[in-house]
Each structure stands twice: as C-alpha cells, then as structure tokens.
Amino acid sequence: MTIATDRGFEIGKLYRVSSNYDSSYYKNGMIVEFLEDDTSNAPWFVYVSGPMGESLRYEPKQRIAIPLDHLVPVETQE
C-alpha cells in the first residue's frame, strides 16, 4: 500500500481539486484523473476538465503532481 491507496485513491478514478492554493498548474474546481502512484504525497494526475493553470494551457495532457490533501473524489459534493 502507498500513501494514496491508504487514503482510498485509485488509479483511473476522477478527482476534483478542492483547494484555494493558487498553482500555475492546477486550480480549484479542476477535474483530474489519477494517472500514476509514485508513493509520494503528491502523485501524478492528468487534466480532464474545468479551470486550468496557466502553465498547463500549453500542454493539457502533461502529468501534474497534486498534493492528495488538495483533492476530493468527483462524487463528493462540498
């Protein structure tokens, strides 16, 4: 098990960024897909839809490392 799987994250599932932290790659409300578990607290995701950080606009298929505590499952309503 890893940090992500211990917290219930699953590869291929969709998550919503739920953070007021202003990143140049991810924004509050962005939907991402869990792409790769690298055993860190900020594994790899890929953009699916929603607001996009300035640095991501030029290459939307690039991997984005996002801290797990900035994400909620898409099914979760806040």
Side-chain angles (χ1 to χ4, degrees), residues 10-71:
E10 296 179 42
I11 301 283
K13 294 255 177 149
L14 299 180
Y15 297 89
R16 181 184 323 277
V17 175
S18 179
S19 171
N20 290 326
Y21 175 76
D22 192 24
S23 167
S24 63
Y25 288 93
Y26 60 91
K27 299 288 182 195
N28 191 42
M30 174 189 267
I31 304 296
V32 293
E33 179 182 340
F34 190 11
L35 182 67
E36 181 184 336
D37 190 349
D38 64 0
T39 70
S40 76
N41 192 42
W44 296 106
F45 294 83
V46 67
Y47 174 83
V48 173
S49 65
M52 184 184 292
E54 299 80 35
S55 295
L56 194 61
R57 290 196 178 133
Y58 303 107
E59 204 175 327
K61 293 294 182 186
Q62 77 184 63
R63 298 183 321 162
I64 315 161
I66 304 175
L68 297 172
D69 60 347
H70 290 190
L71 296 161

